[in-house]
Amino acid sequence: MADPVNQNTQPTDDTVRLVWEGMVESDRLSRYYGYLAHRLKRLGELLQVAAVVFGVLALCSIFYRLPGWIAFSAANFAAFSYALSSIRGYSAKADRSVEIFRQLHRMQLEWELLWNNVWSKHDDGLLPAWKKLCERQGSILERAPVELPLSRSLARRSENEANEYWSAFARDSEDGAESSS
């Protein structure tokens, strides 16, 4: 039987769902921007290495008097790699993505804390905290769609991992609650 004192502090199912979905979404976004930072950093490094390798190849082909088309092609590839790296700004985008990842990762702890306290509060205590976290998360992500590329594959990966993790967490929590009964 439900304790009448605790019944007054129980949140509605809708509020519990909002907090749960906010926590899972926060995890998904954190994962996404972490993966995006890694991808952008690797891409920038790859282009820089390509520019150096093709530049050295162009110099060596001149030094060893290889056919002119080799030096010309290598120099063009070096210039293209350097220009693409500079124009696309992969390093700066990776830094921005890392910044977003760190902010979202710190917020993830706040979402988890809210979730851990979800059954001890009423809607009046949960909804303002939920709204505040949503607004802060929105302000962190406000410029991201303009500043950073979208990767559907990373978005799917992040969503699948977050859903798998939190589904397993929920199952484990339910199993733990049943075994303690």
Side-chain angles (χ1 to χ4, degrees):
M1 237 200 228
D3 183 8
V5 174
N6 282 342
Q7 199 170 21
N8 292 334
T9 62
Q10 292 295 307
T12 63
D13 290 343
D14 288 341
T15 301
V16 171
R17 182 184 48 77
L18 286 173
V19 172
W20 176 260
E21 288 174 356
M23 182 178 63
V24 174
E25 178 69 3
S26 175
D27 183 32
R28 181 192 70 78
L29 290 167
S30 178
R31 289 172 192 264
Y32 174 79
Y33 286 102
Y35 292 144
L36 184 63
H38 181 71
R39 179 178 282 180
L40 292 170
K41 185 174 189 276
R42 268 192 1 232
L43 191 54
E45 289 171 350
L46 177 68
L47 287 171
Q48 289 174 348
V49 167
V52 170
V53 167
F54 285 122
V56 169
L57 179 62
L59 287 175
C60 288
S61 66
I62 292 170
F63 182 70
Y64 289 109
R65 296 186 182 161
L66 296 175
W69 67 269
I70 294 176
F72 179 76
S73 297
N76 281 331
F77 281 125
F80 177 75
S81 297
Y82 178 76
L84 188 59
S85 177
S86 297
I87 291 169
R88 292 291 182 126
Y90 290 115
S91 179
K93 288 179 182 180
D95 291 344
R96 176 68 177 125
S97 191
V98 165
E99 178 186 327
I100 292 172
F101 165 76
R102 286 183 180 150
Q103 291 175 2
L104 290 174
H105 191 68
R106 281 192 297 271
M107 277 194 69
Q108 181 64 28
L109 299 174
E110 294 177 53
W111 277 107
E112 289 176 25
L113 182 61
L114 184 62
W115 174 253
N116 289 336
N117 293 313
V118 76
W119 297 111
S120 63
K121 296 182 179 181
H122 193 276
D123 288 356
D124 296 342
L126 290 170
L127 288 174
W130 170 82
K131 184 177 180 182
K132 181 180 172 186
L133 286 173
C134 287
E135 287 171 354
R136 282 185 41 221
Q137 190 167 290
S139 70
I140 291 169
L141 298 171
E142 186 175 40
R143 302 245 345 118
V146 176
E147 297 172 344
L148 298 171
L150 172 65
S151 170
R152 286 188 170 87
S153 64
L154 291 181
R156 276 191 301 276
R157 176 183 175 188
S158 301
E159 182 175 14
N160 290 339
E161 287 179 8
N163 287 338
E164 287 175 21
Y165 175 81
W166 290 107
S167 294
F169 175 83
R171 280 192 305 274
D172 291 346
S173 296
E174 289 172 3
D175 292 343
E178 289 174 3
S179 65
S180 65
S181 303

